[in-house]
Amino acid sequence: AVARRLPRAPGGCPAPLLEGCGQCVQQVLLSRQLATKKAKGKGQSQAKVNISAALVEDIINLEETSEDMQAVIEALKEDFSRNLSVRTSPGALDHITVMTKDGKFPLNQLGQISQKSPQLLIVNMTSFPESTAAAAKAIRESGMNLNPEVDGTVIRVPVPKVTREHRESLAKLAKQSTNKSKEALRKVRSKSITQVKKSKNKVSEDTIFLLEKQIQQMADEAAAEMDKLLAAKTKELLG
């Protein structure tokens, strides 16, 4: 399998620029295939594909694919941190979006949030009193099982004691969030594989196959990391 239209030869290649690049990539790809077939013959797990991003940069940007997958993981971490916690602090309300006549704003930009006691949060809306009702509505509809009480420009937010039922509910939400993240991950994988297939007329079928396999490996590793995050979060929530 000879990959064509490659940008440059790897460092140290003794052959001329284009010829050397083709020869080296041919050796790399063939060695990957032989290693995989050998592993299959012995009943062992298949060899891991790890093609250099520089060798295939005119087909696909593997680093960009990796970054997109990592972004999905980071978004899941952020969701776990912000929305799924048995501990309530003033920062837990920061992300709540309030719809006002001037547009949408984070609650912490409209009111001063403080914690009066472990079971009571206070939102002082003195700076934007006209948005008090909207802020209370946003808190009530946040999905955090909170029932705010309005007293003038002050919103009192009683924090319910954490029950076993509430912990289990949060654990289910964590599972749902993970599934949504895996769906986003699959979209990144599919987009990358589609991009690779667009080069089927420029490079060999073996090159396309190995690139698809590497992208799938990257997606599998990202999904495995998500599973670890979910396991840790579930353990934290259920206690």
Side-chain angles (χ1 to χ4, degrees):
V2 180
R4 297 184 292 277
R5 293 189 61 198
L6 293 170
R8 58 180 177 274
C13 179
L17 182 61
L18 295 178
E19 180 187 356
C21 187
Q23 289 178 355
C24 289
V25 174
Q26 181 182 22
Q27 291 175 359
V28 169
L29 297 179
L30 285 176
S31 65
R32 300 292 182 193
Q33 289 178 287
L34 290 173
T36 300
K37 291 179 180 178
K38 185 176 180 181
K40 282 184 177 180
K42 292 185 177 181
Q44 299 173 351
S45 60
Q46 296 185 16
K48 183 176 180 180
V49 178
N50 187 20
I51 301 173
S52 170
L55 295 179
V56 293
E57 60 185 7
D58 62 334
I59 302 175
I60 186 173
N61 189 330
L62 288 176
E63 292 181 355
E64 184 176 301
T65 298
S66 177
E67 290 172 358
D68 289 344
M69 291 183 178
Q70 189 60 40
V72 176
I73 295 174
E74 293 303 320
L76 179 62
K77 289 180 180 179
E78 182 70 12
D79 183 41
F80 280 178
S81 176
R82 280 188 169 189
N83 305 324
L84 300 173
S85 176
V86 294
R87 301 180 182 85
T88 302
S89 64
L93 304 182
D94 287 350
H95 72 286
I96 293 178
T97 301
V98 181
M99 175 63 76
T100 72
K101 62 180 181 179
D102 297 318
K104 296 181 179 180
F105 297 91
L107 180 59
N108 61 353
Q109 291 185 12
L110 300 174
Q112 182 179 0
I113 307 172
S114 59
Q115 186 166 8
K116 189 171 183 179
S117 72
Q119 265 67 54
L120 182 62
L121 298 177
I122 299 293
V123 183
N124 191 325
M125 299 293 296
T126 303
S127 298
F128 297 93
E130 69 280 5
S131 298
T132 301
K137 180 181 178 182
I139 295 171
R140 188 175 297 107
E141 298 176 353
S142 65
M144 298 176 65
N145 193 31
L146 300 174
N147 187 26
E149 304 166 356
V150 178
D151 181 10
T153 58
V154 173
I155 303 175
R156 301 178 186 278
V157 187
V159 180
K161 292 183 178 180
V162 181
T163 63
R164 184 67 184 179
E165 181 181 2
H166 182 55
R167 288 177 179 271
E168 291 175 352
S169 176
L170 290 176
K172 289 181 180 179
L173 289 175
K175 177 64 174 178
Q176 292 174 8
S177 295
T178 303
N179 289 337
K180 288 181 180 179
S181 294
K182 286 186 177 181
E183 179 60 31
L185 179 66
R186 285 191 286 271
K187 289 180 179 179
V188 173
R189 180 203 61 194
S190 297
K191 179 182 176 182
S192 298
I193 289 179
T194 297
Q195 184 177 343
V196 167
K197 287 182 176 179
K198 289 180 180 179
S199 299
K200 64 181 180 181
N201 295 327
K202 304 175 185 178
V203 297
S204 69
E205 292 182 2
D206 290 319
T207 302
I208 298 296
F209 170 77
L210 290 173
L211 278 172
E212 289 179 355
K213 184 176 179 182
Q214 178 154 338
I215 291 169
Q216 182 62 54
Q217 285 177 176
M218 293 165 64
D220 290 342
E221 290 172 359
E225 185 171 350
M226 289 181 184
D227 287 336
K228 290 181 181 179
L229 290 172
L230 175 61
K233 174 55 69 171
T234 300
K235 182 178 180 181
E236 172 194 325
L237 293 173
L238 296 180

